[in-house]
Amino acid sequence: MPDTVRPSLAGFFAGSNPMPPTHLGTRYDTSGNFLIEPGNTVVSHLVSGSPSEAVVFAVRDRMMAMPDADRLAFTPVSSLHMTLFQGIIEYRRRLPFWPRDVPLDTGIDAMTRLYLERLRGFEGAGPFNIKVVEIVPSGLTVAGATDEDVRIMRAWRDALAVPFGYRHPDHDAYVFHITFAYQIQRLADDRAAAWQALFDESLALFGREAPVIEIKPPAFCAFRDMKHFEELLVLG
């Protein structure tokens, strides 16, 4: 990898990461089609029609226009969201990604009903704002817009761990993000500078036109694949 490329981008390029993408074959196929992978989660969707949503869409369009963008499987714009807390998912039926008090073979729909009951009356930690801190081939890395927002987002995760019945190994270090795409094939090393330039320009665009990304309140959602996240219960 060229020295000018950030270390956080290295894993997306063939020379530094020859391993196949983690979710290829279970979440999506080599043609970029999304496969059935049911589960549930807590997310904040983008605010439809907001100025910041327009900037998000514009950056996504720039990525899709790259000549080697066919190495990425892009999700629909309607699915764009920031995950606040990871729920359970079909292909992750093991501890500590599943509540200890529920059998590992419990159906996904039954788990969703269980969590709906557990989340009735749930009080969150309050509203928060987010900002984009980095852009990578899979999308946007985001964080709380202020130190107080960072604290509130952490408090949400701590509170949600109670009804969900687990804390993932990355509970405290979780990197918030808005996924645009999944890698079908690693990007070629000689394309690193072009992608780096696009990301730098796009990050500057967010700084100028969308320093805060407008998101909806956190909601408990169910999904069958990565194309749609159905809001079942708005939280807090």
Side-chain angles (χ1 to χ4, degrees), residues 107-171:
I108 298 296
D109 290 343
M111 291 297 296
T112 296
R113 290 191 296 270
L114 172 66
Y115 283 144
L116 272 173
E117 288 302 314
R118 290 186 178 184
L119 290 166
R120 299 290 181 190
F122 177 84
E123 293 186 6
F128 56 88
N129 293 314
I130 62 170
K131 63 182 179 181
V132 177
V133 296
E134 188 176 30
I135 306 173
V136 296
S138 58
L140 311 176
T141 301
V142 302
T146 67
D147 289 345
E148 178 63 7
D149 292 319
V150 171
R151 184 197 67 77
I152 292 171
M153 292 167 74
R154 186 181 302 117
W156 268 98
R157 287 180 60 79
D158 288 344
L160 285 165
V162 176
F164 276 88
Y166 52 73
R167 292 168 67 98
H168 287 193
D170 67 350
H171 179 89

Side-chain angles (χ1 to χ4, degrees), residues 205-225:
L205 178 66
F206 277 113
R208 293 192 307 271
E209 299 188 13
V212 171
I213 304 300
E214 295 158 278
I215 54 174
K216 295 170 63 178
F220 177 63
C221 299
F223 58 87
R224 307 304 293 177
D225 54 34

Side-chain angles (χ1 to χ4, degrees), residues 67-104:
D68 46 348
D70 59 350
R71 296 190 178 204
L72 302 171
F74 284 84
T75 59
V77 292
S78 59
S79 74
L80 295 179
H81 64 271
M82 185 208 74
T83 300
L84 183 61
F85 191 91
Q86 313 99 298
I88 54 91
I89 196 166
E90 179 62 47
Y91 299 115
R92 199 164 56 195
R93 290 176 173 272
R94 61 188 184 279
L95 301 176
F97 307 102
W98 199 274
R100 290 184 176 275
D101 60 338
V102 182
L104 291 172

Side-chain angles (χ1 to χ4, degrees), residues 46-59 77-78 80 206 210 212-214:
L46 300 179
V47 174
S48 180
S50 65
S52 61
E53 182 193 56
V55 179
V56 171
F57 287 1
V59 170
V77 292
S78 59
L80 295 179
F206 277 113
V212 171
I213 304 300
E214 295 158 278

